[in-house]
Structure formats: C-alpha cells, structure tokens
Amino acid sequence: MIAHSEWKHGEVFEGITEKGNTITIDGDSAHTHGPSPLEAVLMALCACTSVDVVSILQKKRQSLTGLRVTAAATQAPAPPRVFTHISLTYAVRGKLNRKAVEDAVSLSKNKYCSVSKMLEKAATIDYQIVYPDGEPEP
C-alpha cells in the first residue's frame, strides 16, 4: 500500500493513493477545504469498523437497513496531541438480533479493524450501540 500527499496551497494538501483516490486535507484551524489530518484518522476508524460490521451482519443474514458510526475523541493537552480516548457510537437500523449486532461490533473492535488496533496503542477505545428504530429482536 502506497500513498502520498501533495501540497496545494496554504495549509491544504491532497492525499493520493496508489490507485489514484484522493482526499483533501486542511491543516488550517478553520478546515474549510477538508478535514484535518486527525479528523481524517477518525473518519478512517469509523469507515473501517463500519465495513466490518456490515460484512459480519450480512453474513449472519441480518436485515440491516442503516449504520452510522460516530467517533468522539479526546486529545492530549500538549503536543503531540495524540488521541487518548475515543468513544464510538454505533447507530444501527433494521430488524436485527441484539446478540448478532453486539458480536459484530466486538469482532470488529477486537479482531478485524486494523485502524482500531493501531489507535489502541495510544488511546482507549470504548463503544455503545444504539437502536434508533426501537429495540432489536431478542
């Protein structure tokens, strides 16, 4: 896997993967052109675990109709301002078995999500699961 960044102007950079996919990263405090580098890391964490959870639930033949993963992070007060704590909230929708959802999230966090496993070296990561459509099936 190879990626690089290219300075565009000011504090704006374009991240480019070897396959040509791009993301604009904005180091300015206003972040008007894109996420900050650390916001992009949180987005990557949410996407990584989402891929796992969707895949696992589909394999378990669960009727997932929606998933939103939100990450709220606390940073160290002084540079380097690494994440020290990350709280993930999984909002799942559909006709779902509670145990299947809990197992999918646990497997993602503890086994499959590479981004989570890397971030755990610096930050504690906890999570909660919410069911906006009401209670899932037992």
Side-chain angles (χ1 to χ4, degrees):
M1 184 179 300
I2 300 171
H4 70 274
S5 67
E6 190 168 310
W7 177 53
K8 296 312 222 178
H9 58 85
E11 293 185 48
V12 176
F13 299 83
E14 185 174 51
I16 306 163
T17 68
E18 64 186 312
K19 294 192 191 280
N21 295 307
T22 64
I23 182 173
T24 301
I25 304 288
D26 191 346
D28 182 70
S29 62
H31 309 301
T32 55
H33 298 286
S36 73
L38 284 176
E39 287 172 330
V41 169
L42 283 182
M43 289 171 28
L45 171 61
C46 293
C48 182
T49 190
S50 293
V51 167
D52 295 338
V53 170
V54 168
S55 175
I56 293 165
L57 290 175
Q58 287 175 340
K59 287 176 184 164
K60 291 178 177 269
R61 301 197 190 314
Q62 294 295 299
S63 297
L64 181 70
T65 59
L67 172 66
R68 174 180 285 193
V69 179
T70 304
T74 303
Q75 292 177 262
R81 299 207 53 225
V82 299
F83 295 134
T84 56
H85 181 258
I86 301 169
S87 182
L88 296 173
T89 301
Y90 293 79
V92 294
R93 292 182 304 283
K95 290 188 177 187
L96 303 162
N97 176 279
R98 179 182 289 271
K99 181 164 178 8
V101 174
E102 290 171 357
D103 288 349
V105 171
S106 179
L107 279 168
S108 176
K109 181 184 184 310
N110 297 314
K111 185 173 183 180
Y112 294 116
C113 180
S114 304
V115 178
S116 178
K117 296 312 276 180
M118 284 189 283
L119 288 172
E120 279 180 349
K121 297 186 183 313
T124 57
I125 301 175
D126 59 34
Y127 65 86
Q128 66 174 337
I129 302 167
V130 296
Y131 302 90
D133 290 342
E135 285 300 308
E137 300 173 5

